[in-house]
Amino acid sequence: MSTTVLDPSSRAHATSRYRTAVVAGHTLAYREVGDPDRPTLVLLHGFPTSSHMYRGLMAELADEYHLIAPDHLGFGASDAPPADQVRYTFELLTELTLGLLDHLGLDRFALYIQDYGAPIGLRIAARHPERITSIITQSGNAYEEGFTPFWEPLVTYAKARAAGELPDDTAVRALLTPDATRWQYTHGVPADRLDRISPDNWILDQAGLDRPGNVEIQLDLFADYLFNLDEYPAFHEMFRKHRPPLLAVWGRGDEIFGPAGARAFSRDLPDARIYLLDTGHFALETHLPEITRLVRQFLRGAIGDAQ
């Protein structure tokens, strides 16, 4: 009979660490896994979730990579100062994310972006392309083609707020309800994969949305999202000039950012690897093994080439 002895250090690196750092006066929470001496992957979450969305992928990749996933200000375990004290914008979230990465001494890293994480991560990449080894996008939009009818009430609301009006916010407030949160996880998912999605996802996300004052935070970010499009030309220029290796892993049934948004990356990055999976907006919940395999293969090539 043979006995296998596990390396204690490898077990330690596979264990998630839940930490905080103070950046510009705000306490930001982040989860970390893997050996800091290995190549780093920074994972930026979307709405209405937190770094929790990456728990499975981080555990799968911890044997080979160092992974950092922050909670944006107003989300997860990070501070959520009231919207009448802090002006919530994607520019602010970008500055805080950069501040956290600098605090952690992360000078070179790959990015994994999803939903809200895209305008944050791509701002960082456009301004500091020398720090980026590669980009993975999962329903992380950078082209107008990705927008679907889902966005129509949000665009109307944002334009009215920008004009100084007091718009009817009934339609956008509906996006903060339990039914809407659950829908984000289940829409576009084939019936035979629905049982892979833990209800813990929308229960946890809704608990965050229901905290006192959080509705106002989310309404401010809804109003600001439209202005991310002003940054798109800079993102596209960065793609063309610096040619970062890019992997797009997208839900074919995503009704928030449609698959046309994934295909559009090939316009400026002809070598982009684009995979459409039979799922919706939160593809990691239904296709973790498939995405893990694609990400691992991609990073081995992209990071190796960048070194």
Side-chain angles (χ1 to χ4, degrees), residues 9-17 33-34 58-59 62-63:
S9 64
S10 67
R11 289 202 304 273
H13 288 313
T15 301
S16 291
R17 285 91 75 189
V33 69
M58 294 179 77
D63 63 325

Side-chain angles (χ1 to χ4, degrees):
M1 183 178 68
S2 62
T3 301
T4 300
V5 179
L6 296 178
D7 178 359
S9 64
S10 67
R11 289 202 304 273
H13 288 313
T15 301
S16 291
R17 285 91 75 189
Y18 302 94
R19 294 173 168 161
T20 60
V22 177
V23 179
H26 301 295
T27 298
L28 300 182
Y30 63 96
R31 61 182 72 198
E32 179 178 15
V33 69
D35 184 347
D37 290 333
R38 293 185 179 273
T40 296
L41 175 62
V42 174
L43 306 104
L44 302 179
H45 71 81
F47 169 85
T49 186
S50 65
S51 61
H52 175 262
M53 71 164 283
Y54 291 120
R55 66 202 181 281
L57 184 65
M58 294 179 77
E60 292 291 333
L61 296 176
D63 63 325
E64 197 167 351
Y65 298 98
H66 173 229
L67 302 106
I68 296 284
D71 292 339
H72 305 314
L73 192 74
F75 293 82
S78 287
D79 279 353
D84 61 359
Q85 297 180 14
V86 172
R87 182 169 176 260
Y88 282 83
T89 65
F90 285 88
E91 183 62 32
L92 172 64
L93 300 186
T94 300
E95 292 171 0
L96 292 175
T97 302
L98 262 174
L100 176 63
L101 298 179
D102 290 343
H103 172 81
L104 297 176
L106 299 177
D107 297 324
R108 192 101 161 112
F109 47 85
L111 281 171
Y112 192 120
I113 53 177
Q114 196 262 356
D115 193 87
Y116 276 13
I120 298 168
L122 293 177
R123 274 179 169 85
I124 293 171
R127 296 169 192 180
H128 302 280
E130 74 286 352
R131 298 176 69 171
I132 307 303
T133 60
S134 58
I135 299 171
I136 302 160
T137 173
Q138 177 203 317
S139 294
N141 205 56
Y143 294 86
E144 292 190 29
E145 289 91 330
F147 289 94
T148 67
F150 170 89
W151 287 90
E152 291 174 2
L154 288 160
V155 170
T156 299
Y157 177 74
K159 287 182 175 179
R161 286 261 305 246
E165 302 172 5
L166 293 176
D168 179 359
D169 59 10
T170 304
V172 293
R173 282 179 177 268
L175 299 175
L176 304 173
T177 62
D179 284 347
T181 302
R182 185 178 188 276
W183 176 85
Q184 290 205 54
Y185 282 93
T186 59
H187 83 276
V189 177
D192 63 354
R193 294 226 175 191
L194 282 171
D195 61 0
R196 299 190 181 195
I197 308 175
S198 170
D200 294 347
N201 289 294
W202 53 81
I203 292 171
L204 180 63
D205 290 356
Q206 195 62 42
L209 291 174
D210 290 342
R211 288 177 294 181
N214 199 267
V215 167
E216 288 71 26
I217 291 172
Q218 302 307 326
L219 291 177
D220 280 359
L221 289 172
F222 285 170
D224 190 61
Y225 194 93
L226 182 65
F227 299 101
N228 287 319
L229 275 69
D230 295 339
E231 301 290 326
Y232 280 14
F235 300 164
H236 303 162
E237 175 63 20
M238 179 269 295
F239 293 153
R240 291 190 296 268
K241 182 176 180 180
H242 296 282
R243 300 286 182 182
L246 184 135
L247 169 67
V249 181
W250 218 277
R252 186 180 292 109
D254 191 344
E255 294 179 35
I256 298 174
F257 289 115
R263 298 188 188 99
F265 283 96
S266 64
R267 180 188 313 151
D268 295 307
L269 291 169
D271 295 330
R273 303 180 190 179
I274 299 170
Y275 297 87
L276 300 180
L277 304 175
D278 193 14
T279 189
H281 191 60
F282 284 106
L284 281 170
E285 298 303 321
T286 56
H287 287 71
L288 177 60
E290 294 89 339
I291 294 175
T292 298
R293 183 173 62 254
L294 290 170
V295 169
R296 195 184 292 276
Q297 292 171 348
F298 171 74
L299 288 178
R300 283 174 178 169
I303 292 178
D305 291 342
Q307 290 177 336

